[in-house]
Amino acid sequence: MTIETAATQGKKDFKTDGSALKGNYREYGLVLALILIMLFFQFTTNGVLFRPVNLTNLVLQNSYIIIMALGMLLVIVAGHIDLSVGSVSGFIGGLAAVMMVRWQIHYIPATILCLVMGGAIGAAQGYWVAYHKIPSFIVTLAGMLVFRGLALWLLGGQSVGPFPPQFQLLSSGFIPDFFAYPGFNITSMLVGIILVALMIYFSVRGRAKREKHGYEGEPFALFVAKNLIIAGIVLFLTYLLSSYKGLPNVLIVMSILIALFVFVTKRMTVGRRIYAMGGNEKAAKLSGIKTERLTFLTFVNMGVLAALAGLIFAARLNTATPKAGLGFELDVIAAVFIGGASAMGGVGQVMGAVIGAFIMGVMNNGMSIMGVNIDWQQVIKGLVLLAAVIFDVYNKNKA
Amino acid sequence: METILEMRNITKTFPGVKALNNVNLDVRKGEIHALVGENGAGKSTLMKVLSGVYPHGSYEGEIFYNGQEQHFRDIGDSEKQGIIIIHQELALVPLLSIAENIFLGNEPAKFGVIDWHVAENRTRELLAKVGLKEDPLTLITNLGVGKQQLVEIAKALSKEVELLILDEPTASLNEKDSDALLALLLEFKAHGISSILISHKLNEVGKVADRITVLRDGATIETLDKDEISEDRIVTSMVGRQLADRFPQREPNIGEVVFEVKDWVVHHHIHSDRTVINGINLNVRQGEVVGIAGLMGAGRTEFAMSVFGKAYGRKISGEVFIKGQKADVSTIGKAIDNGIAYVTEDRKTFGLNLIDHIKHNATIVNLGGVSHNGVLDDMAELKVANEYRRKTNIRSSSIYQKTGNLSGGNQQKVVLSKWLFANPDLLILDEPTRGIDVGAKYEIYTIINQLVSEGKSVLMISSEMPELLGVCDRIYVMNQGRLVGEMPASEASQEKIMRAIIRAEGKAS
Ligand SMILES: Nc1ncnc2c1ncn2[C@@H]1O[C@H](COP(=O)(O)OP(=O)(O)OP(=O)(O)O)[C@@H](O)[C@H]1O
Ligand SMILES: [Mg+2]
């Protein structure tokens, strides 16, 4: 009899999907914050921020931070941290320069070797964290010193460049235009439109599927508004980019990676297991999850992404310098925390980290245009990070 | 007798749940007042309102204490008035000593320098009061749960206590320790200290309580006086209907031996020269419910966890046979693949991801069952979560409620659900009904019966002998890492089990 009452009670309760929606509200809040910050700088920079050239630069400048933030999100959700990513990306950039410029290795095998090297570095650090339970803070602090030192040694304290032109395209290239319409990249615009169409298709299909099974999603108005706003923003930005040189190659790489990581974290069993492990490692282990291997793999993944970021950065500067990547780890980690991840592990979203990275990026860009001194930029960025985390903690305690 | 506490029309809502709805409670000076009710009825929440965990303003209603209306902003406020709460989950720091724990945040100090001499002496006095013979410098990790519970009480006594609140203090204690604790409450009562006792063990409530207030679905049902108290009466009031049997009937249909452990030896996980499990031979048949009886600390949990993929212990030797074949259970993954499931006794540390919701917890062991090629099927997962929420009767706002916010008993049901969904052949249950109300116990027994009727087998560890006697087909008795008795349930009795234990103790010493 009690079972029956629970069943009827259950039906009534489907509607109050409170916590599921609340998780989303945070993401909406973050998007809103980004939009407000962008509008603020658009205003204070007298419209420079949204100029197609500047927007393109914004993407190029932040791509490597965003790419590393994807890996860092997994590491932090798993309950760890990686302080070495800046040094590793600098080291890999140096390695790429030595291979391509000094040893004249073709850029494709060199790139692959660099990525493999990144994975190996991640594996070396992850091994100690995962299998010997050495705190990641310490292992990667050591890594940070070691790879900064190795980068210096590798480059002999000098800048090495320039890179082969094809390799530079990784950062400075744009997707080819098949229409050659002066002043506007039609291919890029089409890609944007197709993307938006796909996005709307999938979200409508997902909703229909839910409804078919008798589950209510978010309110219809909210659903429509959300999709329209996102579509509008994407189309608007694509339009701006297209009216300069089109979509940068890095943006494509970055978008594919973002989509991949969203999919892995939200829809795949591996992703679910990482969250479970970060939430309660002992319980995860007793549920049959191979926590050691999973931790190890998140570090390998981080290593590969740090390597990719190093390559992109080197390609962008067209030289490898011993100082490349200095302090990147701070921006990356800040992005992930602004994006709502918890330092305790188990909580955090890929889109959150990406938006967090953009918030940092737009602030850097906007303040530079405004001519704010670098010292004050640091202060303001630090305060924004603190405010974002305080906001999160406050909200959690209130709930 | 004068009233010391009066809570009037207390209403407390969480997002999506009305945990308390116009609850009234009054406690007289020097009485032991029991608070009973089903899992999720709101007992712990009411006590958190009282002690200021939920501050004034976060609930509706009034609290009168010693005749004055109180607006507690935090625990400190209520402690100043002599209201001390001991929470459902113990809150001691494992790597600190007894003395350090007792005076944590309250250290006897001059100019910020702790006077450990005073602390130790006072600890010694307090330990004597609660009847615990331990050195004040002993670390908490080295104490069993029963003794830890006494340390919590000693800690409460270190403050000026007038009203002591105990949230399920005996849930993880054996009978002897429970009795000692209850005797302590009676002694406090003689000194004029009032207590509120929350418990699912109705027999002990009947023993010590002067009055009982029953909560159901967040509302006060009634307050019973001592002469009205009988277990049946309480149950009826708690559940809202007559509960004829405590154990559902079952026609045993027992087959071949499907699970067998031979010469199982396990050493302590830190002190690897200490033997924890010493040559255990045990088997379970198809469709059989086998119980392991024993006192707290007999090594039952250690045995179960060591069999479950060496989740406990070192230098493990012995063999496991499944359906007559030697089986490899050297990792948890392999144990699960071999059809073994272990439902842990410690749901918070080992059972649940408390920051995630019911849905994600329910499927985590068997993600393969709700995914294709590593890609999760959201609809399948929703269906599974809702199905198990209904089957095990989990009380929550929805499957999206965080498991950390569920009541203790309902957390237990989520742990059970996740292992049921793994569809094991042998389900090892470790204290499956600890902290669970009578109605829900019945439901869990029903689930056990259903499992064995499907040809699965159950190995159940429990410290509640009536439960073992009521549910099992066969019972092993364990003591100090050895099996010291085996009997069909039809021939078993509490006395027989105790006699086996006592005989073994005699031999050992
Ligand atoms: N922080 C919270 N957020 C949301 N819901 C909560 C929270 N704390 C408790 N609840 C809900 O309030 C109700 C009452 O919970 P409470 O812990 O008081 O039950 P209880 O009577 O102590 O049960 P048990 O015997 O299982 O310990 C439950 O439905 C629970 O899910
Ligand atoms: Mg409770």
Side-chain angles (χ1 to χ4, degrees):
Chain A
M1 287 139 283
T2 22
I3 295 188
E4 275 163 22
T5 54
T8 42
Q9 187 190 339
K11 263 191 211 111
K12 179 186 73 198
D13 286 342
F14 278 139
K15 288 189 197 115
T16 51
D17 256 11
S19 47
L21 275 185
K22 212 164 58 205
N24 292 343
Y25 286 143
R26 198 192 178 286
E27 274 182 28
Y28 301 156
L30 212 55
V31 175
L32 200 67
L34 177 59
I35 293 175
L36 287 180
I37 291 175
M38 288 183 104
L39 290 179
F40 172 78
F41 283 115
Q42 173 70 1
F43 180 71
T44 52
T45 60
N46 297 321
V48 177
L49 189 86
F50 276 110
R51 274 200 202 136
V53 196
N54 190 52
L55 216 54
T56 307
N57 268 333
L58 197 66
V59 170
L60 297 180
Q61 274 166 10
N62 289 293
S63 53
Y64 37 89
I65 300 291
I66 292 175
I67 285 173
M68 286 195 279
L70 298 175
M72 190 64 78
L73 177 91
L74 291 191
V75 169
I76 288 177
V77 165
H80 297 283
I81 193 98
D82 191 340
L83 301 175
S84 71
V85 291
S87 297
V88 172
S89 64
F91 172 70
I92 296 289
L95 187 66
V98 169
M99 283 202 278
M100 290 183 219
V101 181
R102 286 214 189 124
W103 301 343
Q104 297 289 322
I105 299 179
H106 187 264
Y107 72 96
I108 292 181
T111 301
I112 293 173
L113 275 175
C114 282
L115 294 178
V116 171
M117 187 64 190
I121 292 172
Q125 302 193 81
Y127 170 77
W128 294 108
V129 177
Y131 295 100
H132 294 273
K133 307 276 176 265
I134 316 280
S136 55
F137 186 85
I138 294 168
V139 173
T140 60
L141 183 62
M144 178 176 167
L145 296 170
V146 167
F147 293 104
R148 177 60 54 207
L150 287 179
L152 271 168
W153 165 78
L154 194 65
L155 295 171
Q158 293 168 337
S159 297
V160 177
F163 284 98
Q166 298 96 322
F167 179 71
Q168 289 173 34
L169 284 181
L170 176 60
S171 265
S172 58
F174 296 83
I175 64 168
D177 188 8
F178 301 109
F179 297 94
Y181 180 85
F184 194 80
N185 188 324
I186 297 181
T187 320
S188 292
M189 195 63 222
L190 280 181
V191 169
I193 293 173
I194 291 171
L195 266 177
V196 167
L198 278 178
M199 189 199 78
I200 292 183
Y201 169 74
F202 278 117
S203 84
V204 167
R205 201 183 69 158
R207 187 177 168 88
K209 205 165 144 200
R210 275 182 86 86
E211 275 177 354
K212 202 181 93 201
H213 286 80
Y215 297 109
E216 275 180 48
E218 52 205 350
F220 186 68
L222 183 65
F223 173 79
V224 173
K226 191 180 86 177
N227 276 289
L228 282 183
I229 290 175
I230 296 179
I233 291 176
V234 173
L235 287 177
F236 176 60
L237 294 180
T238 324
Y239 171 77
L240 289 180
L241 290 175
S242 304
S243 58
Y244 181 53
K245 288 188 183 168
L247 299 178
N249 288 337
V250 221
L251 182 64
I252 302 295
V253 174
M254 194 174 91
S255 307
I256 291 173
L257 283 174
I258 293 173
L260 179 72
F261 276 78
V262 168
F263 188 75
V264 168
T265 51
K266 289 223 188 237
R267 295 289 311 279
M268 292 194 64
T269 52
V270 200
R272 178 67 60 75
R273 290 189 176 118
I274 294 177
Y275 282 88
M277 178 171 80
N280 184 345
E281 190 180 347
K282 288 177 189 155
K285 202 167 177 171
L286 274 179
S287 302
I289 294 173
K290 300 191 177 82
T291 52
E292 282 99 2
R293 203 172 69 182
L294 207 53
T295 306
F296 177 74
L297 290 178
T298 56
F299 276 92
V300 173
N301 174 63
M302 181 75 252
V304 175
L305 291 178
L308 179 59
L311 293 173
I312 291 173
F313 188 66
R316 182 173 149 70
L317 294 190
N318 203 10
T319 50
T321 72
K323 286 227 141 94
L326 200 64
F328 279 8
E329 63 279 348
L330 301 180
D331 278 351
V332 173
I333 293 171
V336 173
F337 285 134
I338 290 178
S342 153
M344 314 284 286
V347 177
Q349 294 297 333
V350 169
M351 276 325 281
V354 171
I355 297 170
F358 266 119
I359 288 180
M360 295 288 279
V362 170
M363 288 198 318
N364 278 336
N365 182 273
M367 288 192 291
S368 300
I369 300 174
M370 280 170 69
V372 177
N373 271 339
I374 193 84
D375 38 11
W376 285 106
Q377 287 193 22
Q378 300 269 10
V379 172
I380 293 170
K381 269 158 55 183
L383 291 178
V384 167
L385 169 65
L386 188 65
V389 176
I390 290 174
F391 177 78
D392 263 1
V393 171
Y394 174 76
N395 261 347
K396 204 166 77 188
N397 288 346
K398 215 175 56 179
Chain B
M1 261 195 285
E2 61 178 303
T3 303
I4 183 168
L5 169 75
E6 204 180 338
M7 300 181 78
R8 276 191 214 151
N9 296 324
I10 305 288
T11 297
K12 167 86 194 163
T13 31
F14 295 108
V17 210
K18 201 166 210 174
L20 297 174
N21 191 1
N22 278 317
V23 171
N24 292 300
L25 174 74
D26 68 280
V27 178
R28 296 176 189 151
K29 198 158 174 54
E31 81 167 339
I32 299 179
H33 195 112
L35 195 56
V36 301
E38 293 177 293
N39 299 124
K43 305 178 295 291
S44 300
T45 305
L46 185 65
M47 291 303 104
K48 285 180 187 165
V49 165
L50 171 57
S51 57
V53 173
Y54 300 133
H56 178 76
S58 70
Y59 58 88
E60 289 153 41
E62 292 133 25
I63 301 176
F64 289 90
Y65 183 70
N66 280 329
Q68 293 204 329
E69 188 169 359
Q70 306 288 347
H71 296 173
F72 299 135
R73 278 160 306 170
D74 54 26
I75 296 207
D77 276 2
S78 63
E79 282 189 350
K80 257 182 235 140
Q81 303 270 350
I83 301 177
I84 311 281
I85 182 165
I86 298 178
H87 288 284
Q88 196 161 357
E89 267 75 26
L90 295 179
L92 297 171
V93 187
L95 288 179
L96 292 184
S97 69
I98 297 180
E100 283 168 316
N101 266 287
I102 285 184
F103 290 103
L104 197 63
N106 197 10
E107 297 88 352
K110 274 199 196 100
F111 310 112
V113 180
I114 303 178
D115 189 340
W116 282 118
H117 190 66
V118 173
E120 265 170 52
N121 282 338
R122 288 207 42 210
T123 304
R124 217 162 269 133
E125 286 166 27
L126 292 168
L127 291 184
K129 259 193 211 165
V130 297
L132 181 60
K133 293 187 199 73
E134 287 286 343
D135 187 76
L137 298 184
T138 312
L139 299 188
I140 294 296
T141 47
N142 298 331
L143 300 180
V145 229
K147 290 182 175 174
Q148 290 190 20
Q149 193 65 257
L150 292 177
V151 172
E152 281 274 16
I153 294 178
K155 183 173 175 180
L157 292 181
S158 77
K159 303 160 189 166
E160 289 301 314
V161 51
E162 247 180 59
L163 174 62
L164 184 61
I165 303 166
L166 301 118
D167 197 348
E168 298 193 36
T170 58
S172 45
L173 301 192
N174 62 30
E175 247 177 79
K176 211 173 88 202
D177 288 345
S178 298
D179 285 344
L181 192 142
L182 296 177
L184 209 56
L185 286 192
L186 290 172
E187 200 183 309
F188 292 165
K189 177 179 155 182
H191 287 97
I193 298 177
S194 326
S195 355
I196 298 178
L197 172 68
I198 298 179
S199 178
H200 289 292
K201 296 186 177 171
L202 300 179
N203 56 342
E204 66 184 35
V205 166
K207 262 190 265 177
V208 297
D210 298 306
R211 289 191 306 152
I212 298 187
T213 295
V214 182
L215 290 187
R216 185 167 73 225
D217 292 336
T220 328
I221 301 302
E222 58 184 345
T223 298
L224 300 169
D225 273 320
K226 191 159 187 93
D227 47 349
E228 293 174 288
I229 297 177
S230 80
E231 265 188 56
D232 282 339
R233 180 82 178 74
I234 305 173
V235 171
T236 313
S237 170
M238 266 172 68
V239 193
R241 63 192 154 87
Q242 294 268 335
L243 206 60
D245 286 310
R246 289 292 167 80
F247 303 102
Q249 293 298 317
R250 166 168 62 95
E251 275 306 315
N253 179 11
I254 295 171
E256 299 285 298
V257 170
V258 285
F259 175 80
E260 189 164 18
V261 178
K262 283 189 180 157
D263 303 319
W264 200 253
V265 177
V266 180
H267 294 264
H268 194 266
H269 66 293
I270 298 169
H271 312 288
S272 61
D273 49 338
R274 222 161 81 203
T275 325
V276 181
I277 297 298
N278 206 341
I280 287 210
N281 290 291
L282 155 160
N283 64 56
V284 183
R285 292 162 192 280
Q286 183 167 26
E288 190 181 31
V289 183
V290 175
I292 309 184
L295 301 178
M296 215 62 63
R300 295 169 299 171
T301 295
E302 289 77 359
F303 167 71
M305 285 181 81
S306 64
V307 171
F308 186 62
K310 301 195 172 165
Y312 172 86
R314 282 211 271 176
K315 292 202 287 180
I316 299 171
S317 62
E319 289 172 334
V320 172
F321 293 86
I322 289 173
K323 299 202 175 96
Q325 301 280 322
K326 199 168 168 228
D328 178 6
V329 292
S330 56
T331 69
I332 293 169
K334 284 177 187 163
I336 294 175
D337 291 343
N338 271 309
I340 304 177
Y342 169 70
V343 179
T344 156
E345 67 176 329
D346 185 344
R347 52 200 170 223
K348 288 218 161 160
T349 353
F350 294 123
L352 292 173
N353 179 2
L354 295 169
I355 59 174
D356 212 340
H357 49 61
I358 299 174
K359 181 176 117 186
H360 285 176
N361 272 284
T363 53
I364 193 67
V365 184
N366 187 10
L367 284 178
V370 289
S371 64
H372 310 283
N373 303 322
V375 179
L376 291 162
D377 178 347
D378 196 36
M379 288 306 126
E381 198 179 5
L382 264 172
K383 217 173 115 207
V384 167
N386 276 313
E387 178 187 329
Y388 280 89
R389 170 164 177 261
R390 200 186 58 238
K391 253 195 201 171
T392 55
N393 198 10
I394 296 167
R395 301 217 174 166
S396 61
S397 52
S398 76
I399 51 169
Y400 291 109
Q401 188 167 347
K402 262 197 205 170
T403 55
N405 291 342
L406 290 175
S407 80
N410 284 305
Q411 288 178 341
Q412 179 70 9
K413 296 184 201 167
V414 179
V415 182
L416 195 61
S417 296
K418 83 176 200 182
W419 286 107
L420 288 178
F421 179 55
N423 195 21
D425 296 323
L426 173 73
L427 184 67
I428 307 179
L429 298 169
D430 197 349
E431 306 284 3
T433 63
R434 168 178 298 169
I436 284 201
D437 70 62
V438 270
K441 272 185 186 165
Y442 190 89
E443 285 153 17
I444 288 182
Y445 303 145
T446 311
I447 292 171
I448 293 177
N449 284 356
Q450 202 182 333
L451 276 181
V452 291
S453 74
E454 290 164 12
K456 310 275 167 75
S457 314
V458 173
L459 183 62
M460 175 155 117
I461 297 170
S462 174
S463 300
E464 280 188 47
M465 284 192 229
E467 167 173 290
L468 287 177
L469 295 169
V471 176
C472 298
D473 299 306
R474 193 153 53 93
I475 297 173
Y476 287 101
V477 185
M478 194 188 276
N479 191 46
Q480 300 192 355
R482 292 172 200 273
L483 289 184
V484 297
E486 179 188 350
M487 53 195 92
S490 52
E491 295 169 19
S493 67
Q494 293 212 28
E495 292 73 38
K496 255 181 110 172
I497 293 174
M498 276 321 288
R499 231 181 291 137
I501 293 173
I502 291 165
R503 212 183 315 127
E505 294 260 289
K507 250 188 252 165
S509 55

